[in-house]
Amino acid sequence: AKSRGRGSAIVYDPAMEELKQERGRLELDLRSALANGEFELHYQPLHELASDRIAGFEALLRWRHPERGLIPPDVFIPIAEHTGLIVALGEWVLREALAEAATWPSDMTVAVNVSPAQMADFTLLKQVIAALSASGFDPHRLELEITETMLMQECDDHLQQLERLHALGVRIALDDFGTGYSSLNYLRSFPFDKIKIDRCFISELNAGSESSAIIEAVLDLASKLNMQTIAEGVESEEQLASLRALGCEQVQGYLISKAIPAEDLPISRQFARQK
Ligand code: C2E
Ligand code: CA
Ligand code: CA
Ligand code: CA
């Protein structure tokens, strides 16, 4: 369509229309995907620098669409949130991740991402309690990854819910740290055990850069608040060396490994069972 310039009425845009239809089709497919067993979790290692060992894995959701192949979460999670399917999907993720992690060595943690929609009506608390009791998993080995946007709705429930989960022993991590705008207030109010420094700071990390100064300050803050630290999106040896020098505790990123299917994890199930 020919654009009629600024301030004009809405012009029929075939590309936009195509996108809307595409979204509609995915939305329909998504409704049956859970029942059809089309979701899977991939796991990305959380690497501990001091010991040079894998401290655990973050569970990352994938949709294996029968015709389109593997669809990344950035594409379907917004649709699942919009349709409300995310609540059932979130419950599936928790159960699946805990069942898998129960086969790992007993010193490894599993990190699970949580969506804002799961926070309503104490859903998350109920889902976590159900998944813990179904798997017999130790709550101290579960880390829930929460983003700042989830806490922005002024809601006492959210704080109460996280505090009750925390009291059960579940660890709470603040994901994508530094991308919001009032993080420091959240750090004071919520029971966080861990800060995940967002990838955008890591990608611009080189000695003497602003990012390096910010990371240094965050690490200092975290240590004073008794919180663990992890850097996301580590892709180069240089970034790894800087993070090590700055005293970051854990790293995660393509340099170590991308997220991999459960059956390919570098963990011997035999070993896990024998332990
Ligand atoms: P996130 O929680 O910030 O997860 C990190 C994302 O960065 C993952 O993308 C991961 O594959 C990617 N990543 C890891 N290392 C690197 C690296 O070195 N470089 C680059 N460029 N990227 C890296 P993924 O798996 O596509 O997930 C995207 C987002 O989808 C996640 O961001 C999270 O917000 C959401 N998500 C994934 N799984 C779930 C889930 O089970 N539930 C919910 N509610 N959200 C999920
Ligand atoms: Ca995450
Ligand atoms: Ca993140
Ligand atoms: Ca993110």
Side-chain angles (χ1 to χ4, degrees):
K2 207 179 143 211
S3 168
R4 278 182 283 166
R6 272 165 179 273
S8 67
I10 293 162
V11 182
Y12 176 75
D13 180 346
M16 200 60 168
E17 194 55 34
E18 175 61 32
L19 208 79
K20 257 173 68 184
Q21 281 180 14
E22 166 81 5
R23 210 183 142 99
R25 278 193 298 268
L26 278 183
E27 190 176 318
L28 276 179
D29 292 350
L30 201 56
R31 288 180 198 279
S32 50
L34 193 55
N36 293 345
E38 291 168 15
F39 291 107
E40 52 189 76
L41 290 177
H42 287 191
Y43 296 88
Q44 187 177 35
L46 314 177
H47 184 86
E48 189 171 81
L49 286 174
S51 60
D52 248 321
R53 66 179 259 283
I54 295 173
F57 294 88
E58 177 178 4
L60 293 160
L61 190 57
R62 304 286 181 262
W63 179 11
R64 199 171 287 280
H65 191 285
E67 288 125 37
R68 294 157 195 247
L70 218 55
I71 303 184
D74 288 332
V75 173
F76 66 84
I77 283 181
I79 307 176
E81 283 176 339
H82 175 74
T83 58
L85 181 77
I86 192 70
V87 175
L89 191 52
E91 168 146 38
W92 180 86
V93 168
L94 274 165
R95 286 179 178 269
E96 181 74 14
L98 294 196
E100 168 58 31
T103 70
W104 301 345
S106 62
D107 57 352
M108 284 190 185
T109 58
V110 65
V112 174
N113 292 283
V114 174
S115 168
Q118 282 170 276
M119 297 292 285
D121 306 320
F122 286 87
T123 305
L124 181 67
L125 179 64
K126 292 175 206 159
Q127 288 181 340
V128 169
I129 289 173
L132 284 171
S133 78
S135 60
F137 196 71
D138 177 0
H140 297 89
R141 294 172 59 198
L142 170 62
E143 258 172 33
L144 297 175
E145 299 201 353
I146 311 283
T147 57
E148 215 177 286
T149 38
M150 294 186 53
L151 309 174
M152 270 162 60
Q153 300 104 325
E154 294 281 318
C155 193
D156 275 359
D157 276 14
H158 293 180
L159 177 58
Q160 225 188 92
Q161 202 171 175
L162 292 183
E163 277 176 343
R164 284 173 63 181
L165 285 163
H166 198 242
L168 290 175
V170 174
R171 294 164 46 81
I172 316 285
L174 181 53
D175 204 352
D176 301 345
F177 184 80
T179 58
Y181 57 90
S182 50
S183 318
L184 298 182
N185 193 31
Y186 294 119
L187 283 185
R188 190 183 53 170
S189 318
F190 288 88
F192 291 113
D193 300 287
K194 187 172 188 176
I195 294 178
K196 296 196 81 168
I197 304 172
D198 193 74
R199 194 172 78 211
C200 66
F201 297 102
I202 313 308
S203 58
E204 277 159 29
L205 178 63
N206 36 63
S209 68
E210 276 92 354
S211 285
S212 163
I214 290 171
I215 292 171
E216 198 173 352
V218 172
L219 295 176
D220 186 45
L221 183 69
S223 112
K224 285 178 176 139
L225 294 173
N226 238 333
M227 293 174 192
Q228 225 186 353
T229 47
I230 182 165
E232 299 192 278
V234 177
E235 293 181 351
S236 73
E237 292 290 352
E238 292 71 30
Q239 291 165 353
L240 183 70
S242 306
L243 288 162
R244 202 188 278 280
L246 288 169
C248 190
E249 286 164 75
Q250 296 182 352
V251 293
Q252 178 180 4
Y254 295 163
L255 179 67
I256 313 288
S257 166
K258 61 184 189 14
I260 43 187
E263 57 271 24
D264 301 335
L265 287 181
I267 296 172
S268 155
R269 275 155 206 277
Q270 200 55 41
F271 168 75
R273 269 200 298 272
Q274 279 170 359
K275 259 190 99 167

